[in-house]
């Protein structure tokens, strides 16, 4: 018995792994660190899962805990998901009239297109890979006459990532295209209901997704709704030709893109005739370019106005347009197609390499960034500081501050480098500058307190720690230090309260567990103290954040 597999089932994964091979050994970068922390806290309980942010995406990460000890598995799954999405694009191409060979080319172009690299190579891009997969599948169902199933997959897309709601306008237009009027009406009504609900939730969603954390460290926040919508629209339109050929990308979706001026308006207007001609030549493929998750950000202001992974679904449109233009590919010399795929593969591999480690990613962002570039200089400086290369780090921190005088982390890091250079007075002035220019940066106040403590100015340090906690109650180290102060003052109940607050944020932190155990011992609760001491690692490190072992007899 002969079993045959479609060529694409073999070709797409091989092509995907070839072009994304440089990213396979990449570690956790930027938002990846938050994701890994959430995965560590994950519980297989429905009540827990259903209230999580992007539950389907979180489940996909949690399932990979059975493959421990490596980041590679996360990249492998991302690449596999991207290849699967290529299979869906192939089916869409066949449904809208392309033959098997041309449809296979469309799927392959999707897999190797450079514009997908910042989604596939980035561990955090998993959310867009999942949501786009379900969104594209819903689109295929509509075009195939199975549209009644599409709402289910649109819902699953939103569970992957909330901006998949942008697929609903695409689904409505596709339903109208195939004369599925009832489906179009149902989806339209659902879209209106979601839009009205979103208006109520908008401010909370906006604050939770960037404005508050960005403003706290001194980075630009979102524009007001109308300027934000204009910025997203014009900056997207003017970049479409570059994105189409896999250029004009940045691995860092920074905040602070200014509201477009006359030049951006003129650039966008000049591109409109090209969009109109392409719509006439390839109407359905162009729908995948013009409609999708990016539309959500016209209505929901976020600080980072432009991010390539929000536009990942556009790659489907780009691939379909390319095969529409070359509608008879076999009439073109093989060299043309080989050159096209060689270019795409090489460009994608280069972009994938940007995700091979944090330094490469941030150094690339120094040159290619959208918006405020100061964050990239700060992160490169932080990398060198961790390696002990303070002289190099200092240069990057100073440049970050020059670009953005309010960037709290850069000022903070520069202050500690000055301290290590035995310039204590200059270091303290710099740290004071951090608290003045970036007054809502809780870590700035905490580090200011640390510096005051080292100088013996303990009462001022206590005030700084309290300010840090007032800004962000999750500042566990500040809570721990206030607990140490209370313990030294023999205020055991107050010390216990502060240590409990620190443990609520970081329940497995050995310093906080040790300090809480010492309070139990000082209060005479010996059995309780022994229970807490048993949770400590052995051998136990001793740090200045811990109560002295001889403080309690």
């Amino acid at each position: 018995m002969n079993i045959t597999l479609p060529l694409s089932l073999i070709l797409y994964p091989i092509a995907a792994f070839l072009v994304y091979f440089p990213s396979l050994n990449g570690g956790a970068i930027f938002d990846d660190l938050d994701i890994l922390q959430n995965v560590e806290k994950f519980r297989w309980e429905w009540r827990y899962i259903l209230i999580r942010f992007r539950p389907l995406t979180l489940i996909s990460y949690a399932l990979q805990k059975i493959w421990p000890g490596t980041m590679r598995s996360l990249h492998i799954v991302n690449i596999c998901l991207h290849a699967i999405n290529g299979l869906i694009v192939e089916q869409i191409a066949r449904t809208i009239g392309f033959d098997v060979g041309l449809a296979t080319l469309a799927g392959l172009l999707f897999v190797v297109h450079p514009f997908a690299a910042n989604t596939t190579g980035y561990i955090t891009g998993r959310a867009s890979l999942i949501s786009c997969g379900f969104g594209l599948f819903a689109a295929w169902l509509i075009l195939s006459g199975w549209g009644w199933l599409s709402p289910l997959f649109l819902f699953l897309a939103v569970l992957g990532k909330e901006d998949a709601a942008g697929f609903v306008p695409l689904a409505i237009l596709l339903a109208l295209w195939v004369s599925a009027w009832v489906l179009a009406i149902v989806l339209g009504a659902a879209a209106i209901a979601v839009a009205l609900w979103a208006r109520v939730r908008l401010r909370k969603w906006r604050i939770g997704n960037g404005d508050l954390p960005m403003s706290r460290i001194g980075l630009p926040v979102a524009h007001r709704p109308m300027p934000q919508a204009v910025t997203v629209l014009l900056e997207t339109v003017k970049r479409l030709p570059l994105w189409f050929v896999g250029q004009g990308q940045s691995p860092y979706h920074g905040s602070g893109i200014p509201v477009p001026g006359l030049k951006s308006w003129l650039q966008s207007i000049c591109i409109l005739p090209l969009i109109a001609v392409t719509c006439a030549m390839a109407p359905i493929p162009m729908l995948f370019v013009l409609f999708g998750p990016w539309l959500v950000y016209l209505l929901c202001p976020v600080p980072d106005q432009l991010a390539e992974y929000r536009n990942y679904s556009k790659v489907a449109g780009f691939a379909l347009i390319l095969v529409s233009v070359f509608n008879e590919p076999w009439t073109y010399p093989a060299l043309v197609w080989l050159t096209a795929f060689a270019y795409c593969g090489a460009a994608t591999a280069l972009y994938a390499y940007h995700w091979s480690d944090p330094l490469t990613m941030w150094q690339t962002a120094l040159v290619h960034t959208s918006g405020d570039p100061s964050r990239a200089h700060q992160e490169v400086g932080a990398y060198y500081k961790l390696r002990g290369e303070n002289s190099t780090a200092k240069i990057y921190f100073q440049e970050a501050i020059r670009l953005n005088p309010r960037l709290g982390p850069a000022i903070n890091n520069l202050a500690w480098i000055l301290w290590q250079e035995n310039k204590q007075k200059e270091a303290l002035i710099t740290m004071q500058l951090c608290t003045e220019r970036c007054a809502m940066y809780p870590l700035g106040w905490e580090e200011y307190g640390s510096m005051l403590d080292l100088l013996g100015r303990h009462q001022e340090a206590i005030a700084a720690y309290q300010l840090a906690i007032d800004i962000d109650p999750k500042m566990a180290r500040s809570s721990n230090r206030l607990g140490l102060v209370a313990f030294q003052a023999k205020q055991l109940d107050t010390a216990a309260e502060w240590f409990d607050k620190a443990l609520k944020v970081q329940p497995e932190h050995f310093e906080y567990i040790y300090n809480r155990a010492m309070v139990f011992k000082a209060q005479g609760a010996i059995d309780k103290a022994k229970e807490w001491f048993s949770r400590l690692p052995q051998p136990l490190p001793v740090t200045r954040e811990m109560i002295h072992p001889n403080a309690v007899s």
Side-chain angles (χ1 to χ4, degrees):
M1 175 174 150
N2 293 326
I3 299 176
T4 59
L5 292 174
L7 175 63
S8 50
L9 281 178
I10 302 170
L11 182 61
Y12 295 173
I14 291 175
F17 276 97
L18 282 174
V19 297
Y20 285 103
F21 181 80
S23 70
L24 280 179
N25 290 323
I29 299 173
F30 202 28
D31 290 343
D32 296 345
L33 298 170
D34 293 332
I35 284 174
L36 295 176
Q37 288 177 0
N38 290 334
V39 171
E40 286 301 316
K41 301 174 185 175
F42 184 83
R43 302 196 304 270
W44 288 103
E45 300 171 8
W46 280 113
R47 184 176 297 178
Y48 173 86
I49 293 171
L50 291 176
I51 63 172
R52 292 303 102 187
F53 186 53
R54 302 173 182 173
L56 275 186
T57 303
L58 184 59
I59 287 172
S60 78
Y61 289 124
L63 285 169
Q64 291 189 247
K65 291 177 74 174
I66 62 176
W67 191 349
T70 176
M71 295 285 106
R72 184 176 297 171
S73 67
L74 296 168
H75 288 288
I76 287 174
V77 172
N78 272 21
I79 294 168
C80 289
L81 288 170
H82 180 53
I84 291 169
N85 291 343
L87 292 170
I88 299 171
V89 171
E90 178 192 3
Q91 294 306 309
I92 291 172
R94 294 182 67 175
T95 303
I96 62 178
F98 296 117
D99 61 32
V100 175
L102 205 55
T104 302
L105 283 178
L108 185 59
L109 278 168
F110 176 88
V111 169
V112 301
H113 197 285
F115 192 67
N118 283 348
T119 305
T120 310
Y122 186 23
I123 293 173
T124 302
R126 172 81 58 87
S128 293
L129 291 166
I130 290 175
S131 66
C132 183
F134 283 119
L136 291 175
F137 193 77
W140 174 73
L141 287 170
I142 294 169
L143 292 168
S144 302
W146 293 78
W148 57 276
L149 282 171
S150 63
L152 169 62
F153 288 92
L154 289 171
F155 177 67
L156 291 173
V158 172
L159 292 182
K161 190 179 181 187
E162 64 288 342
D163 63 12
F167 281 113
V168 175
L170 172 65
I172 292 171
L173 290 171
L174 291 176
L176 292 172
W177 184 273
V178 298
S179 300
W181 308 105
V182 174
L183 177 62
I185 292 170
V186 170
L187 290 173
I192 292 171
V194 170
L196 291 174
W197 173 81
R199 285 187 64 187
V200 179
R201 305 276 296 183
L202 180 58
R203 179 167 176 76
K204 182 179 179 181
W205 189 91
R206 171 180 172 178
I207 291 173
N209 283 268
D211 264 9
L212 184 57
M214 287 287 194
S215 65
R216 278 182 172 174
I217 65 174
L219 285 172
V221 298
H223 301 308
R224 295 181 63 82
M226 185 55 70
Q228 177 85 3
V230 170
T231 302
V232 173
L233 179 62
L234 295 186
E235 293 295 327
T236 298
V237 168
K238 79 178 189 181
R239 284 171 167 79
L240 282 178
L242 286 173
W243 289 350
F244 181 75
V245 296
Q247 297 298 316
Q249 300 184 66
S250 168
Y252 171 54
H253 46 284
S255 63
I257 296 178
V259 178
L262 179 61
K263 182 179 178 181
S264 290
W265 279 93
L266 291 175
Q267 288 175 327
S268 300
I269 291 170
C270 289
I271 291 167
L272 291 180
L274 179 61
I275 292 175
V277 170
T278 311
C279 285
M281 293 175 58
I284 292 182
M286 201 61 188
L287 289 179
F288 287 91
V289 174
L290 297 179
F291 296 90
W294 76 279
L295 292 175
V296 171
Y297 300 94
L298 295 173
L299 303 175
C300 297
V302 291
D304 42 340
Q305 293 91 351
L306 207 64
E308 279 77 10
Y309 57 72
R310 295 177 190 151
N311 294 278
Y312 171 68
S313 63
K314 284 181 169 43
V315 183
F318 295 157
L320 293 169
I321 289 169
L322 280 167
V323 294
S324 298
V325 172
F326 300 105
N327 201 13
E328 299 293 339
W330 317 121
T331 63
Y332 292 86
L335 183 62
V336 173
W337 288 100
L338 288 173
T339 302
F341 281 108
Y343 161 75
C344 286
T348 302
L350 177 62
Y351 285 124
Y353 174 71
H354 295 162
W355 296 102
S356 60
D357 63 79
L359 180 62
T360 303
M361 179 269 193
W362 286 113
Q363 284 182 326
T364 304
L366 292 176
V367 182
H368 306 286
T369 192
S370 302
D372 184 353
S374 63
R375 178 69 176 270
H377 287 83
Q378 144 63 25
E379 295 297 333
V380 174
Y383 176 88
Y384 284 115
K385 182 173 180 285
L386 285 173
R387 291 171 59 91
E389 300 178 34
N390 284 353
S391 57
T392 303
K394 187 176 181 180
I395 295 170
Y396 284 102
F397 292 141
Q398 289 172 333
E399 179 62 12
I401 296 166
R402 185 191 69 80
L403 293 167
N404 180 0
R406 294 184 59 250
L407 188 59
I411 305 172
N412 180 11
N413 281 317
L414 179 61
W416 283 114
I417 286 179
L418 292 170
W419 182 275
Q420 290 170 9
E421 293 175 346
N422 293 319
K423 300 176 181 177
Q424 278 75 18
K425 184 176 180 180
E426 188 178 348
L428 185 63
I429 292 171
T430 303
M431 194 65 81
Q432 286 175 324
L433 196 64
C434 178
T435 61
E436 292 167 6
R437 290 183 179 176
C438 201
M440 296 303 292
Y441 179 41
L443 186 60
W445 285 105
E446 184 174 86
E447 297 288 75
Y448 182 46
S450 298
M451 203 168 277
L452 289 168
D453 255 339
L454 292 171
L455 292 170
R457 296 161 62 173
H458 302 302
Q459 291 304 312
E460 293 174 81
I462 291 170
Y465 296 142
Q466 186 62 65
L467 275 167
I469 294 169
D470 290 344
I471 296 169
D472 184 357
K474 294 182 179 180
M475 298 302 292
R477 187 166 57 165
S478 290
S479 296
N480 183 67
R481 288 180 178 173
L482 289 174
L484 293 173
V485 171
F487 186 87
Q488 290 171 357
K490 309 296 184 184
Q491 299 170 356
L492 299 182
D493 290 340
T494 303
E497 290 177 9
W498 283 119
F499 294 140
D500 285 340
K501 288 180 179 180
L503 285 163
K504 187 176 181 181
V505 179
Q506 293 179 281
E508 302 302 321
H509 198 290
F510 75 92
E511 292 170 335
Y512 310 157
I513 294 173
Y514 171 85
N515 289 338
R516 190 65 182 90
M518 289 294 284
V519 172
F520 280 123
K521 185 177 180 181
Q523 291 173 328
I526 304 302
D527 291 340
K528 195 72 174 176
K530 287 180 178 179
E531 178 187 338
W532 279 70
F533 281 130
S534 68
R535 294 170 53 186
L536 294 168
Q538 298 298 330
L540 179 65
V542 178
T543 73
R544 61 183 293 267
E545 303 291 332
M546 298 162 66
I547 297 170
H548 195 278
N550 297 328
V552 180
S553 57

